Amino acid sequence: MRVDLFDFDLPADRIALRPASPRDSARLLRVAGGGVSDHGVGELPALLRRGDVLVFNDTRVIPAQLEGRRGAARIGATLHKREGPRAWRAFVRNARRLSEGDRVDFGAGVAATASGKAEDGSFLLSFEGEEPVELLLERAGRMPLPPYIAGRRPADARDREDYQTMFAREEGAVAAPTAALHFTPALMAALAEAGIGHETLTLHVGAGTFLPVKAEDTEGHVMHAEWGRIAPSTAARLNAARAAGGRIVAVGTTSLRLLESAADRAGRVQPFEGDTAIFITPGYRFRAIDGLITNFHLPRSTLFMLVSALMGVEVMQRAYAHAIASGYRFYSYGDASLLLP
């Protein structure tokens, strides 16, 4: 499909620079079939059904942005995928000044050697020493805010908490599964009281999620790979819930992509561990999920293509036009939508 079908105009003042406080006070746009209605995230217990199951991503964001030097040259690096105990693939700013074999000093006793330059311009960074890389990043790294936020303000101490979900447990993401940022212990208690269950899986979100689609047609875009895991016990409970008539509602596109990667042709979720590069565009037949809670996405992005595949391009263009006109806040720290095809 033509990528320009997924374009829309978004005023800059609709981009949220901070999350709602409290988190579950964010607005929620319900899109069901072809209609839309305005709600708040706190109304989810009434908008879902007893027996439904929400599926969250329990990945934890690491301080994956680094600033360093190779000699006199300044080098910026954003880690996006672990490739070994001490090796991470990274997108590099000022990559013209970096060659394979160069050593980059990131300060605070943290240094790495560059190798394995890829076609997308990324490098493999192998960190020196014996300390776990996570400890090195805690010393030298910053939270990797999305470009549309980082371009308007620097990351600060608040982001260390704001950019983590309440489910964050498995370290390895360089971007938050932002739909889950809206959930609080109080909201989870209300959902449980309403008979709505929840499960967790792990997908380590990579910085590739923010890469623009440069191709003119979706067939020309190469999707980034991310590592994920669904435990056998989790898969069994999800299949049992669906067999009993419950709906599986993914919280975030990351949860959805992993569930769909793990589903067999009959729609049963299988245990999963490994990489997925699934690219969902209109025409895709969903097998594992019955709904999605997600934030509002960038124009011409793979994520807007995904929600358009679920609901239809025209439906989502109308829904986004309504959201913009109604003052909804967009992107990672913005408001949410509940999509029920």
Side-chain angles (χ1 to χ4, degrees):
M1 295 184 71
R2 295 198 331 266
V3 171
D4 61 7
L5 294 173
F6 305 95
D7 204 1
F8 57 89
D9 293 322
L10 181 72
D13 63 2
R14 295 293 186 272
I15 300 173
L17 300 183
R18 297 285 185 187
S21 183
R23 294 187 181 201
D24 54 13
S25 68
R27 298 176 69 187
L28 177 77
L29 181 67
R30 180 178 183 268
V31 186
V36 302
S37 55
D38 300 306
H39 304 274
V41 169
E43 297 177 59
L44 275 172
L47 296 174
L48 298 171
R49 299 197 301 239
R50 181 173 293 273
D52 288 348
V53 178
L54 300 176
V55 184
F56 296 92
N57 185 356
D58 67 4
T59 191
R60 184 173 183 83
V61 183
I62 60 174
Q65 284 194 330
L66 297 163
E67 297 290 336
R69 288 184 175 274
R70 183 206 58 79
R74 290 183 176 273
I75 302 293
T78 300
L79 310 186
H80 72 91
K81 189 171 187 293
R82 183 191 287 275
E83 294 200 359
R86 307 199 62 75
W88 278 79
R89 185 146 297 274
F91 296 119
V92 174
R93 191 177 70 252
N94 208 11
R96 294 174 302 170
R97 308 294 297 274
L98 191 65
S99 300
E100 295 200 21
D102 284 349
R103 180 180 186 271
V104 183
D105 185 348
F106 294 111
V110 179
T113 300
S115 64
K117 186 175 182 180
E119 290 184 5
D120 62 5
S122 67
F123 280 86
L124 188 68
L125 295 181
S126 299
F127 287 87
E128 297 177 356
E130 298 181 357
E131 289 181 278
V133 174
E134 289 76 12
L135 291 181
L136 302 180
L137 296 178
E138 286 294 332
R139 290 208 306 268
R142 300 196 315 268
M143 289 299 278
L145 289 182
Y148 43 78
I149 296 176
R152 300 177 66 183
R153 69 165 180 83
D156 57 27
R158 281 182 56 184
D159 293 306
R160 291 264 177 161
E161 181 176 345
D162 286 348
Y163 204 51
Q164 299 283 14
T165 75
M166 63 172 286
F167 308 95
R169 183 179 63 201
E170 301 290 337
E171 290 191 334
V174 299
T178 53
L181 291 176
H182 303 295
F183 288 78
T184 64
L187 177 56
M188 293 304 296
L191 287 163
E193 187 174 350
I196 298 157
H198 77 277
E199 297 287 345
T200 61
L201 47 71
T202 303
L203 183 76
H204 290 323
V205 192
T209 191
F210 301 119
L211 290 179
V213 178
K214 297 180 179 180
E216 294 184 0
D217 193 277
T218 56
E219 291 187 1
H221 179 69
V222 178
M223 195 69 175
H224 59 285
E226 296 166 319
W227 183 90
R229 179 178 59 225
I230 300 176
S233 57
T234 301
R237 288 192 297 269
L238 289 172
N239 293 328
R242 212 175 190 195
R247 296 177 299 183
I248 304 303
V249 179
V251 180
T253 55
T254 61
S255 293
L256 183 150
R257 291 177 64 243
L258 190 57
L259 288 167
E260 290 296 321
S261 298
D264 61 22
R265 291 188 176 183
R268 290 181 59 83
V269 177
Q270 301 298 321
F272 186 98
E273 184 166 356
D275 285 350
T276 176
I278 189 172
F279 183 21
I280 296 175
T281 58
Y284 177 86
R285 183 176 69 86
F286 289 85
R287 298 179 293 190
I289 63 100
D290 305 292
L292 171 66
I293 296 170
T294 187
N295 286 15
F296 294 95
H297 303 295
L298 288 162
R300 302 173 70 100
S301 65
T302 61
L303 302 182
F304 187 63
M305 294 171 190
L306 184 154
V307 297
S308 297
L310 182 62
M311 303 301 297
V313 178
E314 292 183 1
V315 169
M316 290 313 300
Q317 286 283 12
R318 289 198 303 270
Y320 271 47
H322 172 85
I324 292 167
S326 302
Y328 278 77
R329 302 161 71 247
F330 271 60
Y331 304 160
S332 294
Y333 278 155
D335 295 316
S337 61
L338 170 62
L339 308 182
L340 296 171

